[in-house]
Amino acid sequence: MRERVPAGFDGAVLDLGPEALQGQPGQEDAPAPGPDDPAYVIYTSGSTGRPKGVRIPHRAVVNFLMSMSRTPGMVPGDVVLSVISFAFDFSVLEIFLPLVTGARLVIAGDEAGDGA
């Protein structure tokens, strides 16, 4: 993973590969999620005006990512600049699509939006 980082890069690199996580506390006790287990929850007021949470299962996230990897498509040479708030559900696509296709994810810092 580190060999793919351009020379001179001074940002943080987060390695989430299996080798990097092996031996970390809690790894041996963590059960693998099933397809129907919730991946995340979207909170919405819906048409009723009453807030409620909608659970999005892992199977829906995987289906969405695999579909988007084909059309419009993403390949290992692609780069995604993530500028969206992590609180917005579309961030799931922006963050995880490059990670599951071998593309590169670059997360914009706070200073990127200040117009300076």
Side-chain angles (χ1 to χ4, degrees):
M1 156 83 178
R2 297 241 179 232
E3 65 276 359
R4 293 180 57 189
V5 177
F9 177 73
D10 64 353
V13 176
L14 181 60
D15 186 354
L16 297 176
E19 299 84 22
L21 296 176
Q22 189 173 11
Q24 293 295 316
Q27 289 299 307
E28 63 284 347
D29 299 332
D36 293 319
D37 290 332
Y40 63 95
V41 177
I42 297 175
Y43 289 93
T44 177
S45 63
S47 59
T48 65
R50 296 184 55 185
K52 60 183 172 280
V54 177
R55 290 182 289 173
I56 308 301
H58 279 270
R59 89 168 64 240
V61 174
V62 170
N63 183 47
F64 182 52
L65 292 173
M66 294 301 99
S67 173
M68 294 300 286
S69 72
R70 290 187 300 273
T71 305
M74 186 166 288
V75 295
D78 290 338
V79 179
V80 173
L81 175 62
S82 178
V83 296
I84 202 163
S85 166
F86 298 141
F88 186 45
D89 67 323
F90 196 74
S91 68
V92 171
L93 175 69
E94 197 169 89
I95 294 167
F96 291 106
L97 184 58
L99 298 179
V100 301
T101 60
R104 188 169 56 151
L105 171 66
V106 177
I107 300 174
D110 291 338
E111 66 280 357
D114 66 7

